[in-house]
Amino acid sequence: MAEPGRDLTDDYELGDNRYGKSRIRLVTVRRETDRHDLRDLTVAVALEGDFDAVHTRGDNTGVVATDTMKNTVYAFARDRLTGSPEAFGLELARHFATYAACSRAIIDIEEQRWLRIPEEGGEAPDAFVRAGDLTRLAHVAVDKAGGVEVEAGVGDLTVMKTTKSAFTGFDRDRYTTLPEVEDRLMATKLRATWGYRPDLVAAGSFDFDAAWDRARVALRQSLADHFSPSVQASIWIMGTAIMDAEPSIDWVRMVLPNLHHWQVDLSPYGLDNPGEVFVSTSEPHGLIDATVHRRSAG
């Protein structure tokens, strides 16, 4: 226990810190004359800055309540959530960066996609089914000087290759039991994020939706087309394909848990198994994480 009257800041100092509001659930319905447009977002707000006093002295002056952050997200959604999640994140981050004690505002957004239900003769104007194939990701940071950082990506994208995947030539020692395979199932629930060139996104006219879609399509096509000698090699191949498809992207980070599918031995039942029956396991799993950067011109 501290001695009465002792100033602890003589002996200790506060390190890096941030605070904010997470898991702000937000759904909007834009009721146009002939159709409704549905958006489904989860937003997180975090602030960095001069918040030493609230930690070390219990002085809340200048502290933005996290409830205020939540309310601001809902208020801004009324007329500012009209385009991409990145653009909405920039609106929020620029607002929070104006607070006196804040030096940097960070917004993270996850968007769940909803698709119109097909009807005879077209699509339903006001009925939807959740896509469920992936989560769209957006990360935005704005500092007091106006510096902007924008990242995008996809999460929860579960994919599988039933051929064109192998794993051979790896190191072996007394503890290695894994057989080498020339043709295997490769499955993963991947997360891919990428960073846009700051000079392009700061200009205000960047088309985030088109860039995200080009990157998403390149990721999926590359996954389907390439032969994978390892998950590590697949990250390199898919990351470079994304940057080839979208010149505004400076780097791509991919995190791939290896969701194993082991071929079942059917010989005890007098049956062969020509690569048709597998058991799926999720734990334990390999986890591969790598970032591919565009090489600078200099």
Side-chain angles (χ1 to χ4, degrees), residues 28-292:
T28 63
V29 181
R30 305 296 181 195
R31 302 178 184 275
E32 307 298 336
T33 303
D34 57 347
R35 57 188 269 155
H36 293 170
D37 291 320
L38 175 65
R39 302 291 296 274
D40 183 349
L41 277 61
T42 302
V43 182
V45 180
L47 304 185
E48 298 173 354
D50 183 11
F51 299 114
D52 283 28
V54 64
H55 289 275
T56 63
R57 297 197 300 274
D59 181 354
N60 294 331
T61 303
V63 173
V64 183
T66 65
D67 190 66
T68 301
M69 298 176 188
K70 168 183 66 73
N71 294 343
T72 303
V73 170
Y74 292 138
F76 273 42
R78 175 63 181 85
D79 57 6
R80 304 193 199 196
L81 180 53
T82 58
S84 69
E86 293 89 347
F88 184 57
L90 280 168
E91 292 267 9
L92 289 167
R94 284 172 172 144
H95 167 80
F96 287 116
T98 63
Y99 282 92
C102 177
S103 61
R104 188 167 182 260
I106 304 101
I107 308 295
D108 283 289
I109 298 176
E110 299 179 357
E111 180 164 17
Q112 305 294 337
R113 301 193 303 159
W114 291 80
L115 305 177
R116 298 183 186 279
I117 295 177
E119 290 184 318
E120 194 172 322
E123 296 179 327
D126 54 6
F128 304 83
V129 61
R130 185 161 164 172
D133 58 339
L134 57 83
T135 302
R136 181 172 176 177
L137 308 174
H139 168 88
V140 175
V142 173
D143 61 33
K144 186 70 76 180
V148 174
E149 169 188 298
V150 180
E151 300 172 11
V154 298
D156 303 320
L157 178 59
T158 303
V159 294
M160 180 185 292
K161 291 169 69 72
T162 55
T163 188
K164 293 191 295 187
S165 175
F167 191 49
T168 63
F170 51 87
D171 185 71
R172 306 192 73 88
D173 62 23
R174 60 183 293 193
Y175 303 111
T176 304
T177 58
L178 184 71
E180 298 192 359
V181 286
E182 299 284 353
D183 191 14
R184 65 172 180 169
L185 268 62
M186 172 185 162
T188 185
K189 187 174 184 179
L190 69 83
R191 179 184 180 93
T193 53
W194 50 82
Y196 294 116
R197 285 174 43 191
D199 59 317
L200 294 178
V201 300
S205 58
F206 188 77
D207 191 338
F208 291 106
D209 286 336
W212 180 83
D213 205 49
R214 284 190 290 270
R216 176 186 63 89
V217 169
L219 168 61
R220 295 175 65 163
Q221 288 180 345
S222 174
L223 174 79
D225 292 344
H226 81 269
F227 175 82
S228 172
S230 66
V231 176
Q232 288 89 336
S234 287
I235 289 177
W236 174 264
I237 292 166
M238 292 187 290
T240 55
I242 289 171
M243 286 187 283
D244 278 347
E246 182 49 54
S248 66
I249 295 175
D250 271 340
W251 55 265
V252 177
R253 180 187 178 192
M254 303 190 71
V255 181
L256 276 68
N258 201 341
L259 304 183
H260 298 292
H261 290 71
W262 306 113
Q263 188 165 318
V264 179
D265 180 9
L266 299 180
S267 61
Y269 323 121
L271 300 171
D272 66 350
N273 183 6
E276 294 183 352
V277 181
F278 300 84
V279 58
S280 172
T281 64
S282 59
E283 296 177 353
H285 61 245
L287 183 63
I288 296 85
D289 182 342
T291 302
V292 183

Side-chain angles (χ1 to χ4, degrees), residues 1-4 6 8:
M1 181 178 294
E3 300 170 6
R6 176 185 166 200
L8 293 176

